Short mmCIF file of all heavy atoms in Angstrom, two decimals:
data_model
loop_
_atom_site.label_atom_id
_atom_site.label_comp_id
_atom_site.label_asym_id
_atom_site.label_seq_id
_atom_site.Cartn_x
_atom_site.Cartn_y
_atom_site.Cartn_z
N ARG K 1 2.14 -3.96 -8.87
CA ARG K 1 2.45 -3.01 -9.95
C ARG K 1 1.36 -2.93 -11.03
O ARG K 1 1.06 -1.88 -11.60
CB ARG K 1 3.79 -3.33 -10.60
CG ARG K 1 5.00 -3.10 -9.69
CD ARG K 1 6.29 -3.29 -10.48
NE ARG K 1 7.46 -3.19 -9.62
CZ ARG K 1 8.04 -2.05 -9.21
NH1 ARG K 1 7.52 -0.90 -9.59
NH2 ARG K 1 9.11 -2.04 -8.44
N GLU K 2 0.75 -4.10 -11.36
CA GLU K 2 -0.21 -4.16 -12.44
C GLU K 2 -1.63 -3.96 -12.04
O GLU K 2 -2.43 -3.46 -12.78
CB GLU K 2 -0.02 -5.49 -13.20
CG GLU K 2 1.35 -5.62 -13.90
CD GLU K 2 1.45 -6.90 -14.68
OE1 GLU K 2 0.49 -7.71 -14.68
OE2 GLU K 2 2.52 -7.11 -15.33
N LYS K 3 -1.98 -4.40 -10.84
CA LYS K 3 -3.38 -4.28 -10.39
C LYS K 3 -3.55 -3.01 -9.56
O LYS K 3 -3.72 -3.04 -8.34
CB LYS K 3 -3.79 -5.54 -9.60
CG LYS K 3 -3.93 -6.77 -10.46
CD LYS K 3 -4.56 -7.92 -9.72
CE LYS K 3 -4.91 -9.06 -10.64
NZ LYS K 3 -5.55 -10.18 -9.93
N LYS K 4 -3.51 -1.90 -10.22
CA LYS K 4 -3.60 -0.60 -9.55
C LYS K 4 -4.98 -0.41 -8.91
O LYS K 4 -5.13 0.37 -7.94
CB LYS K 4 -3.39 0.55 -10.56
CG LYS K 4 -2.04 0.49 -11.24
CD LYS K 4 -0.89 0.72 -10.30
CE LYS K 4 0.44 0.81 -11.05
NZ LYS K 4 1.60 0.99 -10.11
N ASP K 5 -6.02 -1.09 -9.45
CA ASP K 5 -7.36 -0.92 -8.87
C ASP K 5 -7.77 -2.10 -8.04
O ASP K 5 -8.96 -2.38 -7.86
CB ASP K 5 -8.39 -0.72 -10.02
CG ASP K 5 -9.63 0.00 -9.49
OD1 ASP K 5 -9.52 0.93 -8.69
OD2 ASP K 5 -10.76 -0.43 -9.89
N SER K 6 -6.76 -2.80 -7.48
CA SER K 6 -7.09 -3.87 -6.54
C SER K 6 -7.47 -3.31 -5.19
O SER K 6 -7.02 -2.20 -4.84
CB SER K 6 -5.87 -4.83 -6.41
OG SER K 6 -4.79 -4.13 -5.82
N SER K 7 -8.23 -4.06 -4.41
CA SER K 7 -8.67 -3.58 -3.14
C SER K 7 -7.48 -3.25 -2.19
O SER K 7 -7.54 -2.25 -1.46
CB SER K 7 -9.55 -4.61 -2.43
OG SER K 7 -8.91 -5.87 -2.38
N LEU K 8 -6.41 -4.04 -2.28
CA LEU K 8 -5.23 -3.79 -1.42
C LEU K 8 -4.51 -2.54 -1.81
O LEU K 8 -4.19 -1.69 -0.96
CB LEU K 8 -4.29 -4.99 -1.47
CG LEU K 8 -3.00 -4.86 -0.70
CD1 LEU K 8 -3.29 -4.72 0.81
CD2 LEU K 8 -2.06 -6.03 -0.96
N VAL K 9 -4.23 -2.36 -3.06
CA VAL K 9 -3.49 -1.22 -3.55
C VAL K 9 -4.26 0.10 -3.33
O VAL K 9 -3.73 1.13 -2.94
CB VAL K 9 -3.08 -1.37 -5.02
CG1 VAL K 9 -2.42 -0.08 -5.55
CG2 VAL K 9 -2.11 -2.52 -5.18
N VAL K 10 -5.57 0.05 -3.62
CA VAL K 10 -6.43 1.21 -3.42
C VAL K 10 -6.45 1.62 -1.95
O VAL K 10 -6.36 2.78 -1.57
CB VAL K 10 -7.88 0.97 -3.93
CG1 VAL K 10 -8.80 2.14 -3.50
CG2 VAL K 10 -7.86 0.83 -5.43
N ALA K 11 -6.57 0.61 -1.08
CA ALA K 11 -6.54 0.89 0.37
C ALA K 11 -5.23 1.46 0.81
O ALA K 11 -5.18 2.44 1.61
CB ALA K 11 -6.81 -0.44 1.13
N MET K 12 -4.11 0.98 0.28
CA MET K 12 -2.81 1.50 0.63
C MET K 12 -2.62 2.92 0.11
O MET K 12 -1.95 3.74 0.79
CB MET K 12 -1.72 0.61 0.14
CG MET K 12 -1.59 -0.72 0.93
SD MET K 12 -0.13 -1.67 0.48
CE MET K 12 -0.12 -2.85 1.83
N ASN K 13 -3.16 3.22 -1.02
CA ASN K 13 -3.09 4.56 -1.54
C ASN K 13 -3.86 5.57 -0.68
O ASN K 13 -3.50 6.73 -0.63
CB ASN K 13 -3.60 4.63 -3.00
CG ASN K 13 -2.47 4.37 -3.99
OD1 ASN K 13 -1.40 4.97 -3.92
ND2 ASN K 13 -2.71 3.47 -4.92
N LEU K 14 -4.89 5.11 -0.03
CA LEU K 14 -5.64 5.98 0.92
C LEU K 14 -4.71 6.41 2.06
O LEU K 14 -4.77 7.55 2.51
CB LEU K 14 -6.87 5.24 1.46
CG LEU K 14 -8.01 5.02 0.48
CD1 LEU K 14 -9.09 4.16 1.15
CD2 LEU K 14 -8.60 6.37 0.04
N VAL K 15 -3.88 5.48 2.54
CA VAL K 15 -2.91 5.80 3.59
C VAL K 15 -1.82 6.69 3.02
O VAL K 15 -1.45 7.68 3.69
CB VAL K 15 -2.32 4.51 4.17
CG1 VAL K 15 -1.22 4.83 5.18
CG2 VAL K 15 -3.39 3.66 4.84
N ARG K 16 -1.31 6.38 1.85
CA ARG K 16 -0.30 7.20 1.23
C ARG K 16 -0.70 8.66 1.03
O ARG K 16 0.09 9.59 1.22
CB ARG K 16 0.12 6.60 -0.12
CG ARG K 16 1.14 7.37 -0.85
CD ARG K 16 1.54 6.70 -2.16
NE ARG K 16 2.59 7.41 -2.87
CZ ARG K 16 3.20 6.97 -3.96
NH1 ARG K 16 2.81 5.78 -4.48
NH2 ARG K 16 4.12 7.66 -4.55
N ASN K 17 -1.98 8.84 0.69
CA ASN K 17 -2.48 10.20 0.44
C ASN K 17 -3.12 10.84 1.67
O ASN K 17 -3.79 11.90 1.54
CB ASN K 17 -3.53 10.14 -0.70
CG ASN K 17 -2.94 9.61 -2.01
OD1 ASN K 17 -1.78 9.87 -2.31
ND2 ASN K 17 -3.73 8.89 -2.81
N ASP K 18 -2.91 10.22 2.83
CA ASP K 18 -3.41 10.76 4.10
C ASP K 18 -4.94 10.79 4.19
O ASP K 18 -5.51 11.59 4.95
CB ASP K 18 -2.84 12.17 4.38
CG ASP K 18 -1.32 12.17 4.59
OD1 ASP K 18 -0.82 11.20 5.19
OD2 ASP K 18 -0.65 13.09 4.19
N ASP K 19 -5.59 9.94 3.42
CA ASP K 19 -7.05 9.85 3.51
C ASP K 19 -7.45 8.77 4.53
O ASP K 19 -8.61 8.61 4.88
CB ASP K 19 -7.65 9.51 2.15
CG ASP K 19 -7.49 10.63 1.15
OD1 ASP K 19 -7.67 11.78 1.59
OD2 ASP K 19 -7.15 10.35 0.01
N ALA K 20 -6.45 8.00 4.96
CA ALA K 20 -6.65 7.02 6.04
C ALA K 20 -5.41 6.91 6.89
O ALA K 20 -4.30 7.25 6.42
CB ALA K 20 -7.01 5.65 5.43
N ASP K 21 -5.59 6.56 8.16
CA ASP K 21 -4.44 6.42 9.06
C ASP K 21 -3.81 5.06 8.96
O ASP K 21 -2.61 4.87 9.31
CB ASP K 21 -4.88 6.68 10.51
CG ASP K 21 -5.48 8.06 10.69
OD1 ASP K 21 -4.81 9.04 10.42
OD2 ASP K 21 -6.66 8.14 11.11
N ALA K 22 -4.55 4.06 8.57
CA ALA K 22 -4.07 2.69 8.56
C ALA K 22 -4.77 1.84 7.53
O ALA K 22 -5.90 2.17 7.10
CB ALA K 22 -4.26 2.07 9.95
N VAL K 23 -4.13 0.74 7.15
CA VAL K 23 -4.76 -0.23 6.28
C VAL K 23 -4.64 -1.59 6.98
O VAL K 23 -3.62 -1.94 7.51
CB VAL K 23 -4.13 -0.28 4.86
CG1 VAL K 23 -2.62 -0.55 4.92
CG2 VAL K 23 -4.82 -1.30 3.98
N VAL K 24 -5.73 -2.35 6.92
CA VAL K 24 -5.78 -3.67 7.48
C VAL K 24 -6.14 -4.63 6.36
O VAL K 24 -7.09 -4.38 5.60
CB VAL K 24 -6.86 -3.80 8.63
CG1 VAL K 24 -6.98 -5.25 9.04
CG2 VAL K 24 -6.42 -2.95 9.81
N SER K 25 -5.40 -5.74 6.23
CA SER K 25 -5.71 -6.72 5.18
C SER K 25 -5.37 -8.11 5.67
O SER K 25 -4.36 -8.33 6.36
CB SER K 25 -4.89 -6.44 3.94
OG SER K 25 -5.10 -7.40 2.95
N ALA K 26 -6.25 -9.07 5.28
CA ALA K 26 -5.98 -10.45 5.54
C ALA K 26 -5.59 -11.14 4.27
O ALA K 26 -5.62 -12.39 4.15
CB ALA K 26 -7.26 -11.15 6.12
N GLY K 27 -5.21 -10.39 3.25
CA GLY K 27 -4.85 -10.92 1.97
C GLY K 27 -3.42 -11.45 1.90
O GLY K 27 -2.79 -11.76 2.91
N SER K 28 -2.88 -11.55 0.68
CA SER K 28 -1.58 -12.12 0.41
C SER K 28 -0.50 -11.39 1.22
O SER K 28 -0.30 -10.16 1.10
CB SER K 28 -1.24 -11.99 -1.05
OG SER K 28 0.12 -12.13 -1.33
N THR K 29 0.27 -12.16 2.03
CA THR K 29 1.35 -11.53 2.81
C THR K 29 2.38 -10.92 1.94
O THR K 29 2.83 -9.77 2.20
CB THR K 29 2.02 -12.64 3.70
OG1 THR K 29 1.04 -13.20 4.55
CG2 THR K 29 3.13 -12.00 4.55
N GLY K 30 2.76 -11.61 0.86
CA GLY K 30 3.75 -11.05 -0.06
C GLY K 30 3.32 -9.75 -0.66
O GLY K 30 4.10 -8.79 -0.74
N ALA K 31 2.07 -9.66 -1.08
CA ALA K 31 1.55 -8.42 -1.70
C ALA K 31 1.49 -7.30 -0.66
O ALA K 31 1.74 -6.14 -0.98
CB ALA K 31 0.17 -8.66 -2.31
N ILE K 32 1.15 -7.65 0.56
CA ILE K 32 1.10 -6.63 1.63
C ILE K 32 2.49 -6.08 1.91
O ILE K 32 2.65 -4.85 2.06
CB ILE K 32 0.48 -7.23 2.90
CG1 ILE K 32 -0.99 -7.52 2.69
CG2 ILE K 32 0.66 -6.29 4.09
CD1 ILE K 32 -1.66 -8.36 3.78
N LEU K 33 3.47 -6.93 1.95
CA LEU K 33 4.86 -6.51 2.17
C LEU K 33 5.39 -5.63 1.03
O LEU K 33 5.98 -4.59 1.27
CB LEU K 33 5.77 -7.72 2.36
CG LEU K 33 5.47 -8.65 3.55
CD1 LEU K 33 6.42 -9.84 3.55
CD2 LEU K 33 5.59 -7.90 4.85
N VAL K 34 5.09 -6.08 -0.18
CA VAL K 34 5.55 -5.32 -1.37
C VAL K 34 4.83 -3.98 -1.42
O VAL K 34 5.38 -2.92 -1.63
CB VAL K 34 5.35 -6.13 -2.66
CG1 VAL K 34 5.57 -5.22 -3.87
CG2 VAL K 34 6.29 -7.31 -2.69
N GLY K 35 3.49 -4.05 -1.26
CA GLY K 35 2.67 -2.81 -1.33
C GLY K 35 3.05 -1.82 -0.23
O GLY K 35 3.06 -0.63 -0.45
N GLY K 36 3.32 -2.36 0.94
CA GLY K 36 3.71 -1.49 2.02
C GLY K 36 4.92 -0.64 1.71
O GLY K 36 4.99 0.54 1.98
N GLN K 37 5.89 -1.27 1.05
CA GLN K 37 7.13 -0.56 0.71
C GLN K 37 7.01 0.30 -0.56
O GLN K 37 7.47 1.45 -0.57
CB GLN K 37 8.25 -1.56 0.54
CG GLN K 37 8.59 -2.32 1.80
CD GLN K 37 9.88 -3.12 1.71
OE1 GLN K 37 10.98 -2.58 1.65
NE2 GLN K 37 9.75 -4.45 1.67
N LEU K 38 6.31 -0.24 -1.58
CA LEU K 38 6.19 0.51 -2.84
C LEU K 38 5.13 1.62 -2.80
O LEU K 38 5.32 2.69 -3.38
CB LEU K 38 5.87 -0.43 -3.99
CG LEU K 38 6.97 -1.47 -4.36
CD1 LEU K 38 6.48 -2.32 -5.55
CD2 LEU K 38 8.26 -0.78 -4.70
N VAL K 39 4.03 1.36 -2.09
CA VAL K 39 2.92 2.32 -2.11
C VAL K 39 2.98 3.23 -0.91
O VAL K 39 2.99 4.45 -1.02
CB VAL K 39 1.53 1.60 -2.15
CG1 VAL K 39 0.40 2.59 -2.15
CG2 VAL K 39 1.45 0.67 -3.36
N VAL K 40 3.00 2.67 0.29
CA VAL K 40 3.04 3.48 1.52
C VAL K 40 4.41 4.08 1.72
O VAL K 40 4.53 5.25 2.03
CB VAL K 40 2.63 2.61 2.73
CG1 VAL K 40 2.70 3.44 4.00
CG2 VAL K 40 1.21 2.06 2.56
N GLY K 41 5.46 3.31 1.53
CA GLY K 41 6.85 3.78 1.65
C GLY K 41 7.41 3.64 3.04
O GLY K 41 6.71 3.67 4.03
N ARG K 42 8.75 3.54 3.08
CA ARG K 42 9.44 3.39 4.36
C ARG K 42 9.73 4.76 5.00
O ARG K 42 9.89 5.74 4.30
CB ARG K 42 10.77 2.65 4.16
CG ARG K 42 10.67 1.22 3.73
CD ARG K 42 11.97 0.49 3.95
NE ARG K 42 13.11 1.10 3.32
CZ ARG K 42 13.55 0.82 2.08
NH1 ARG K 42 12.90 -0.07 1.38
NH2 ARG K 42 14.60 1.43 1.60
N ILE K 43 9.81 4.73 6.29
CA ILE K 43 10.28 5.93 7.04
C ILE K 43 11.74 6.15 6.68
O ILE K 43 12.50 5.24 6.57
CB ILE K 43 10.11 5.71 8.54
CG1 ILE K 43 8.66 5.60 8.96
CG2 ILE K 43 10.82 6.83 9.36
CD1 ILE K 43 8.43 5.18 10.42
N LYS K 44 12.10 7.40 6.45
CA LYS K 44 13.47 7.72 6.08
C LYS K 44 14.43 7.23 7.17
O LYS K 44 14.30 7.53 8.35
CB LYS K 44 13.62 9.26 5.93
CG LYS K 44 15.00 9.67 5.40
CD LYS K 44 15.06 11.17 5.18
CE LYS K 44 16.45 11.58 4.65
NZ LYS K 44 16.54 13.05 4.46
N GLY K 45 15.42 6.46 6.72
CA GLY K 45 16.41 5.92 7.68
C GLY K 45 16.12 4.48 8.04
O GLY K 45 17.04 3.79 8.53
#
């Protein structure tokens, strides 16, 4: 939520905005899980 210009969040926003098809990260598992849901978002249902 606070590090909007972090490498992980910026990468995920590329996917969210359809500028990338996928994001790959070897970073914090917790941040990847949270970012995946908050930034990329879940499929409806």
Side-chain angles (χ1 to χ4, degrees):
R1 291 186 185 280
E2 294 183 359
K3 290 190 170 181
K4 302 294 186 182
D5 202 42
S6 64
S7 54
L8 177 63
V9 174
V10 172
M12 286 189 167
N13 270 311
L14 290 174
V15 174
R16 178 178 182 173
N17 298 328
D18 294 325
D19 293 319
D21 300 302
V23 56
V24 172
S25 176
S28 162
T29 301
I32 291 169
L33 297 177
V34 170
Q37 297 190 69
L38 294 182
V39 181
V40 178
R42 295 196 304 268
I43 293 172
K44 185 177 181 180

